[in-house]
Amino acid sequence: MASLLIKKAYLLKPNAFKNTVAIISNATRNHWNYQYKPGQYPKTPEEREAAAKKYGLTIEEYQPYPEDMGYGDYPKLPDIGADSKDPHYPYDNPELKRNFNEPFHAIAELIGEDRYDISMKPRIPVWQQWSWFFGVIGGFFGIFYYLEDYKFGRPVTAKQYPQDGPHYLFNAN
C-alpha cells in the first residue's frame, strides 16, 4: 500500500515523493497510532457506554465535550492541574502525576506541572493584583508628570563654531 502510494506520488509530482516520505517518517518517528484519534460523538446510550468503556470510565463519570467543539467522544475531564494533585499519592508515573491508562486532559499541554494550574486559587485576589499594578504605574506616571518641569542633567553649553563670533579659550599660555 505504502509503496504504491509512493510510486504514484513520484510519477505525478517529483516533490510529492519528498513530502510523502516526510509524512511517513514523521508518523513513524512520533509513534502515531490510529487509536489516538477520538471516535465520533456518541449519540445513543450504547455509543456512550462504548466510549466510556474505551476511556476506562464508568457511565456516570463519562461526559463528552459538546459536539460543536470537535473533540468527538473524548471525555470531558475535571479541570485539575497537575500541580494541584496530591504529591504523596503512589502514581504509576510520578513524574507526570498520572496512572496507567488514565486519559489525558484535552488541554494537557497547558495545565502540566510546569505550566498554568487552572484549579489553583491565587494567594492574592486578582482585583488586588490589578490594584497594585495600576497603583504602581499611576504612581510612576504621577512622579514623572510632577517632575517634568524640574529637569536636571549635565550642564553643557552650546557647541561653538568659528562663524558664530569670537570665542574665549581658557588656556594657561
Side-chain angles (χ1 to χ4, degrees):
M1 172 79 183
S3 62
L4 182 65
L5 176 68
I6 292 171
K7 286 179 189 176
K8 192 171 186 179
Y10 185 67
L11 293 175
L12 293 177
K13 298 177 188 172
N15 287 339
F17 177 73
K18 182 176 77 170
N19 295 341
T20 306
V21 170
I23 290 170
I24 291 172
S25 66
N26 191 25
T28 306
R29 183 181 68 226
N30 294 330
H31 309 292
W32 181 81
N33 189 339
Y34 71 94
Q35 295 170 338
Y36 292 169
K37 184 178 178 184
Q40 294 294 323
Y41 185 80
K43 295 181 174 39
T44 64
E46 293 81 23
E47 290 176 352
R48 188 179 175 92
E49 186 176 336
K53 183 179 176 187
K54 174 182 171 183
Y55 294 110
L57 301 171
T58 63
I59 299 171
E60 294 80 28
E61 291 177 325
Y62 179 71
Q63 177 66 35
Y65 280 95
E67 190 172 5
D68 59 344
M69 288 186 74
Y71 288 120
D73 67 346
Y74 203 75
K76 184 174 183 182
L77 301 173
D79 291 335
I80 298 173
D83 207 23
S84 293
K85 291 183 177 179
D86 183 14
H88 304 294
Y89 181 82
Y91 295 103
D92 294 335
N93 188 356
E95 296 85 21
L96 300 175
K97 292 186 182 175
R98 292 191 67 238
N99 287 321
F100 183 69
N101 271 349
E102 179 183 344
F104 262 7
H105 200 284
I107 57 169
E109 71 278 0
L110 300 177
I111 59 173
E113 194 166 12
D114 59 338
R115 289 173 172 77
Y116 177 67
D117 189 2
I118 199 166
S119 60
M120 182 191 74
K121 182 181 178 207
R123 186 171 52 115
I124 299 171
V126 176
W127 68 269
Q128 200 171 4
Q129 293 175 19
W130 282 108
S131 300
W132 278 102
F133 173 73
F134 285 122
V136 168
I137 297 297
F140 279 122
F141 181 74
I143 291 171
F144 169 77
Y145 186 73
Y146 176 72
L147 297 176
E148 183 68 20
D149 295 333
Y150 303 103
K151 299 269 185 187
F152 67 92
R154 201 179 85 196
V156 178
T157 60
K159 181 85 172 149
Q160 298 179 0
Y161 293 104
Q163 69 266 17
D164 291 340
H167 299 293
Y168 304 99
L169 301 176
F170 301 99
N171 291 344
N173 295 346

